[in-house]
Amino acid sequence: MPQPYDVKNFFKYLGYPGGDQPYWSKDLRTLSVYCRGDAANLAALLEPTPFEPADDRFVVQIADFGNATPGAFYDSGIVIPVRYKGTTAVTYFFEFEDQPWSVAFGREVWGYPKQYAEIELTDDEDGARGTVTRAGSQIFRIAMSAREGHSSDAWSDMRLYPHLQVHALPEANGPGFKTFEIISRDTSKDFVLRHKSFGPAEVDLSPALSVNGVELELVEVLGGEYSVGDYACTVENGISTVIDDLLADPAAQDTRAAATP
């Protein structure tokens, strides 16, 4: 072992980059279906987290990061608007990806609740459709038909950034957590939109979308949008910011709060 040992060298073994490394994905394809849920149901789902719901709407998404510089992967999940200590944002509450390294990267570095699944996303002139499955069981399916005259009016006021996630590391030899941080990320400032279309949409959710015995409820499908654009996770905007540390002593929390804009 080299002396002194550089711990950053361990990322070569883990197979993914550190949280301060920028990356890009040109021609990112994203299918988003906007839904109305039940406010009480969303509050019950969020109960185990430090967040509270900020809206009764949520988004079901599938994205193709096939040109991502660290490696190709698909991403999918359920995005819920939340509030935390006066900050209004969204959290990826359920999230699935199709590459083991990308699941570990997003989960361990930034706290996204990623799990492995098989993901498909296809598109043509009539719209787009996608499915998320695991071990032969469908987790969810979404589809959108591109139609002239349709718009995003039913969800244009929703804020989809920043992302607030819980970056938590359990203790190796105890019942609690060694790290429990709230992190914020906002890559939207560097995204370059190339194309977007709107239309009526369909959603099929399964009981796999549940936490602590509470299953995500769908009340209404508002519509969908399909976009293509260039994604960037830059040092300026894509690297996470720790906005709170629930395990820090009070003096450290006061210092962090004073430094947070």
Side-chain angles (χ1 to χ4, degrees):
M1 181 181 73
Q3 296 293 341
Y5 176 71
D6 182 0
V7 297
K8 289 185 176 180
N9 195 52
F10 200 63
F11 280 113
K12 299 176 183 177
Y13 169 73
L14 293 174
Y16 57 78
D20 62 342
Q21 301 301 303
Y23 69 93
W24 294 265
S25 185
K26 290 183 65 64
D27 298 321
L28 170 69
R29 301 185 302 135
T30 305
L31 174 60
S32 302
V33 176
Y34 291 80
C35 305
R36 191 174 303 281
D38 177 79
N41 172 249
L42 293 173
L45 280 169
L46 289 166
E47 188 274 332
T49 78
F51 308 135
E52 61 180 12
D55 203 312
D56 66 352
R57 294 168 294 180
F58 61 88
V59 192
V60 187
Q61 288 185 334
I62 296 178
D64 175 12
F65 285 82
N67 297 317
T69 51
F73 66 96
Y74 278 94
D75 176 83
S76 65
I78 311 295
V79 184
I80 300 177
V82 295
R83 277 189 297 268
Y84 179 76
K85 291 187 176 181
T87 298
T88 301
V90 296
T91 191
Y92 273 78
F93 191 74
F94 299 103
E95 190 168 11
F96 307 92
E97 294 190 353
D98 70 334
Q99 296 299 319
W101 69 266
S102 68
V103 171
F105 176 37
R107 192 179 188 105
E108 296 175 9
V109 173
W110 289 319
Y112 288 88
K114 298 182 179 184
Q115 300 181 33
Y116 174 80
E118 297 89 31
I119 304 171
E120 294 182 354
L121 177 62
T122 60
D123 67 271
D124 53 35
E125 61 183 13
D126 295 323
R129 61 216 58 84
T131 58
V132 178
T133 61
R134 184 167 55 209
S137 297
Q138 181 176 287
I139 298 173
F140 69 78
R141 178 188 65 85
I142 56 177
M144 186 210 78
S145 299
R147 294 287 186 271
E148 293 290 338
H150 281 261
S151 72
S152 61
D153 289 349
W155 61 86
S156 60
D157 61 320
M158 288 182 67
R159 293 184 56 183
L160 297 181
Y161 291 89
H163 299 167
L164 290 187
Q165 304 297 146
V166 176
H167 180 228
L169 176 64
E171 295 176 346
N173 58 350
F177 289 88
K178 184 177 181 63
T179 301
F180 204 102
E181 300 169 330
I182 308 300
I183 69 100
S184 176
R185 289 183 72 231
D186 187 349
T187 59
S188 63
K189 298 175 184 177
D190 296 309
F191 180 76
V192 178
L193 179 67
R194 303 298 184 190
H195 166 77
K196 182 178 286 190
S197 58
F198 305 99
E202 301 175 2
V203 178
D204 183 14
L205 306 178
S206 81
L209 300 171
S210 62
V211 170
N212 200 31
V214 180
E215 184 178 336
L216 176 64
E217 296 179 4
L218 172 65
V219 174
E220 180 185 7
V221 178
L222 301 175
E225 62 183 36
Y226 179 69
S227 66
V228 179
D230 297 334
Y231 173 88
C233 173
T234 64
V235 172
E236 293 79 11
N237 299 309
I239 308 308
S240 68
T241 299
V242 177
I243 64 170
D244 203 359
D245 184 344
L246 276 66
L247 298 181
D249 61 71
Q253 287 190 349
D254 290 343
T255 300
R256 189 186 300 277
T260 302

